Amino acid sequence: MTSTTAPRPPTTPADLPVAPLPGAARAALARLEFAFASQSTADRLAHEAASHVRVTPDVAKAVTRYEVASQRLAELSQAMDDRDLSGAEFDSLALAQDTMRASKATLAAAGQLHLIEAAR
């Protein structure tokens, strides 16, 4: 005796059939996928500056370090407006400035200063 089972109804959106996307929709989806792909900040800024090249790991690291140090510098500058900085905060301020200076030198040597200039 053979038993027949009814086909299982779709239970997840992935199981549901979909119509092919029109060309314009495929292009828009490709642009969105590109925009939301995991890019480093340096890659995103390079793309926005129309250089359309992937950056080296050293350049990506320099941009990231510059951004983090810049944010820390802004935080400490705001704190200085309200009160005296502690010794540790003052050291952190100096370290942030040194990090920004070193990162800027790395980017200048690589010809990629536009990656941080655009961020300002």
Side-chain angles (χ1 to χ4, degrees):
M1 170 184 263
T2 61
S3 67
T4 57
T5 57
R8 181 174 61 87
T11 57
T12 63
D15 293 339
L16 298 174
V18 294
L21 292 173
R26 282 194 313 271
L29 184 59
R31 285 191 304 274
L32 283 172
E33 287 173 343
F34 177 78
F36 292 114
S38 60
Q39 294 181 0
S40 70
T41 302
D43 284 333
R44 182 179 50 76
L45 291 171
H47 177 73
E48 290 172 0
S51 65
H52 300 286
V53 294
R54 294 195 58 88
V55 296
T56 65
D58 288 340
V59 168
K61 183 178 176 181
V63 170
T64 302
R65 289 178 50 120
Y66 186 92
E67 289 178 338
V68 171
S70 178
Q71 289 177 348
R72 182 64 176 147
L73 185 66
E75 291 169 2
L76 292 169
S77 295
Q78 179 64 39
M80 269 190 338
D81 291 342
D82 300 333
R83 60 181 170 75
D84 290 336
L85 295 181
S86 69
E89 288 172 321
F90 188 80
D91 289 345
S92 184
L93 179 79
L95 179 61
Q97 291 172 331
D98 291 345
T99 300
M100 290 174 69
R101 190 176 305 110
S103 296
K104 192 170 184 176
T106 299
L107 294 170
Q112 300 288 331
L113 270 177
H114 66 282
L115 296 176
I116 59 172
E117 298 301 324
R120 287 183 181 194

